[in-house]
Amino acid sequence: MAGMEREEEREGIMNGLREDIAVLIDDAGLAERIGENELLEPAGVDSFVMINLILRVEQRYGLTLSDGELRSEVVGTLGGLADSICAKRKENTA
């Protein structure tokens, strides 16, 4: 059961990220088509958008992502960013 709840949480986080990206790049259609393992940069998530996305994430979830957690190989995909958020939330509740 816990695994299913984590997957639902992760999916919800990815959907929230897509919504934020849609606002930040002003293209809901493109944001909705971002796959879990696709790089975010080709979808218009440049460094400016990424900074604003991280700020939204930190504010929404009440957490702070460290420099190490912000490496492109960690947060360069929707799934990677969602995994980082899930791990940080779990860490904060432990």
Side-chain angles (χ1 to χ4, degrees):
M1 185 72 136
M4 195 163 157
E5 289 173 3
R6 280 192 296 267
E7 189 57 38
E8 288 175 5
E9 174 189 29
R10 185 175 183 272
E11 192 63 38
I13 289 170
M14 284 196 296
N15 288 335
L17 291 169
R18 282 187 185 101
E19 291 171 9
D20 286 340
I21 291 168
V23 170
L24 292 168
I25 66 171
D26 196 27
D27 190 336
L30 179 58
E32 282 299 313
R33 293 190 304 271
I34 298 173
E36 178 178 341
N37 298 311
E38 290 181 45
L39 293 175
L40 294 174
E41 191 172 3
V45 180
D46 59 17
S47 57
F48 179 75
V49 171
M50 181 57 81
I51 289 168
N52 284 290
L53 181 60
I54 296 301
L55 290 172
R56 285 173 175 247
V57 163
E58 290 180 339
Q59 188 173 43
R60 175 182 294 140
Y61 297 108
L63 52 84
T64 301
L65 296 171
S66 70
D67 289 344
E69 294 165 321
L70 296 176
R71 295 185 328 268
S72 62
E73 55 273 3
V74 176
V75 297
T77 65
L78 197 63
L81 185 52
D83 289 341
S84 293
I85 295 166
C86 288
K88 194 69 168 186
R89 289 182 74 190
K90 184 178 179 181
E91 177 184 303
N92 289 347
T93 59

